[in-house]
Amino acid sequence: MEIDGKNLWSQYDPHLASYAQKNADSRGRAHPEWADPDRLPFQRDRDRIIHTTAFRRLRGKMQVVSPSHSDHFRNRLSHTIEVAQFARDLARQLGLNEDLAESIALAHDLGHPPFGHAGETALDQKMREHGARFEHNQQSLRVVTVFERRYPDFPGLNLTQEVLEGIQKHDHNFTRSDGQTIFSPHLEAQLVDIADEITYLAADIEDGLRGGFFTLDDLAQLELCAQALAEISTQQGKIHRSTFLRRLIRNLLTQLITDTRTNIKTHEIQTLADVQQTRELLVMFNADYHARFRELKQFLMIHYYGSPAVKSYTESGQQKICQAFDLLMSQPALVPAEFLPEELLHQRVCDYIAGMTDRFLTEF
């Protein structure tokens, strides 16, 4: 709890659902601070995240296609902003804490390395050679707790415990410092996880269409896309790409809200404690719809992520990461001193590379 914050924040909580994360019930920060009278705790977290150097560097990190190829393809920063937009809208409709969801969304990719998921795979492979692992959500946590040094009294950003747990959005079991075990994160974290998936799928469909990797006719073979196309074809003649994408996104978000409300009712969720003791994700599509959602992901895996043009570039990026890793391991003096000289060399090298932009690594 931030000092003197509970009474200050409780007035903003009555409009939230009973199972939402309340502002006044925040478990606080590792290093206690005086409450800000003008900002709620998760708004304060949001502001700290936006002002980090790691957040600004996301602009130079590719989503699927490198920003150097065109100004129109998504980069990691534009993706993050889109996730935050969906997260706020979904949280509002479900009665959840919008500020918490937005903060998690803005921080969720801070630890992503250059060259997208291909870069993450390459860095993980190099770390495995040293008996360790790399995973970008854990690296995001490392960024906000260790490397963003903006305060003289503590390392990192000193974010609330709720945001830190939300950044670990792929984890479902947490044993907290007080010994308490929870089996699911708060709904705001679950919401960001699925919002992330919806965002990148919709964005990658648009980028894939723009780049000529596939056509609307190809997408029409998929049930979710065929449904969206059928709904808009009855309203107008020629189908525009943007019209199709708006309908597809609307259908996905509407279905997610409907199914989440059903899941909450089925599991008789009344409180945040109920959420955290439930072993199944609640912010999730029903099984049949999720199967069609996976079909869409598989289509992109084959026709976009796995296309020769994209694979050629990402494989080149993976090679650059491996070469940089080996170089830095052989010449540790090249690793800046800020990367914790007291730690093992392979971890310092990993931290350094993970923070690089595509361009910086290419020119390294």
Side-chain angles (χ1 to χ4, degrees), residues 2 15 36-37 57 79 97 103 137 140 145 148 150 157 192 206 218 220 260 265 270 275 277 282 285 313 317 344:
E2 292 188 20
H15 73 283
D36 187 332
R57 282 199 303 269
H79 163 74
N97 195 311
S103 295
N137 290 122
S140 296
T145 57
E148 286 292 339
R150 306 182 68 84
L157 303 179
V192 172
E206 181 172 17
D218 296 326
T260 298
K265 183 176 181 180
Q270 297 293 328
V275 172
Q277 292 304 310
L282 298 168
F285 295 120
Y313 188 79
L344 294 172

Side-chain angles (χ1 to χ4, degrees), residues 80-305:
T80 295
I81 294 171
E82 290 174 356
V83 176
Q85 172 206 345
F86 283 159
R88 283 200 72 99
D89 289 348
L90 288 166
R92 185 181 306 113
Q93 293 200 55
L94 292 168
L96 302 180
N97 195 311
E98 296 178 44
D99 297 323
L100 174 56
E102 181 182 32
S103 295
I104 296 167
L106 291 171
H108 84 280
D109 268 354
L110 291 180
H112 222 296
F115 295 101
H117 288 288
E120 181 174 17
T121 298
L123 207 48
D124 185 51
Q125 289 173 347
K126 298 305 294 183
M127 288 295 281
R128 285 171 182 260
E129 295 176 6
H130 300 275
R133 297 294 303 273
F134 177 83
E135 196 275 329
H136 81 269
N137 290 122
Q138 290 299 321
Q139 189 67 17
S140 296
L141 190 66
R142 195 165 167 77
V143 167
V144 300
T145 57
V146 178
F147 292 115
E148 286 292 339
R149 300 187 181 97
R150 306 182 68 84
Y151 301 92
D153 299 327
F154 45 75
L157 303 179
N158 199 31
L159 302 179
T160 58
Q161 298 298 321
E162 291 74 24
V163 170
L164 294 180
E165 285 187 353
I167 291 173
Q168 305 172 75
K169 61 189 179 65
H170 295 312
D171 294 341
H172 302 304
N173 293 354
F174 297 89
T175 299
R176 293 170 167 169
S177 57
D178 60 3
Q180 179 189 12
T181 298
I182 64 172
F183 300 103
S184 291
H186 44 70
L187 292 179
E188 290 82 357
Q190 296 183 36
L191 181 152
V192 172
D193 201 1
I194 189 67
D196 183 23
E197 288 192 69
I198 292 173
T199 302
Y200 75 68
L201 285 179
D204 292 348
I205 288 173
E206 181 172 17
D207 287 351
L209 287 169
R210 177 186 292 112
F213 291 91
F214 45 82
T215 66
L216 282 175
D217 288 339
D218 296 326
L219 291 170
Q221 307 307 308
L222 307 173
E223 189 170 348
L224 293 185
C225 295
Q227 176 188 351
L229 288 167
E231 290 171 354
I232 59 179
S233 65
T234 60
Q235 301 173 12
Q236 53 188 289
K238 182 180 178 181
I239 296 176
H240 294 277
R241 180 178 67 210
S242 58
T243 306
F244 158 69
L245 286 164
R246 286 197 301 272
R247 179 52 62 100
L248 178 63
I249 292 170
R250 178 181 178 182
N251 289 351
L252 289 169
L253 298 181
T254 299
Q255 188 69 45
L256 180 64
I257 291 168
T258 297
D259 290 344
T260 298
R261 286 173 173 159
T262 299
N263 295 337
I264 290 170
K265 183 176 181 180
T266 300
H267 287 81
E268 299 180 341
I269 302 299
Q270 297 293 328
T271 65
L272 176 59
D274 293 338
V275 172
Q276 295 174 332
Q277 292 304 310
T278 301
R279 295 174 184 265
E280 299 177 27
L281 291 177
L282 298 168
V283 188
M284 179 57 64
F285 295 120
N286 67 68
D288 290 341
Y289 200 89
H290 192 256
R292 286 175 266 165
F293 188 61
R294 288 199 309 269
E295 181 185 39
L296 185 54
K297 295 169 68 173
Q298 186 61 32
F299 174 89
L300 289 171
M301 188 67 68
I302 296 171
H303 295 278
Y304 190 29
Y305 315 139

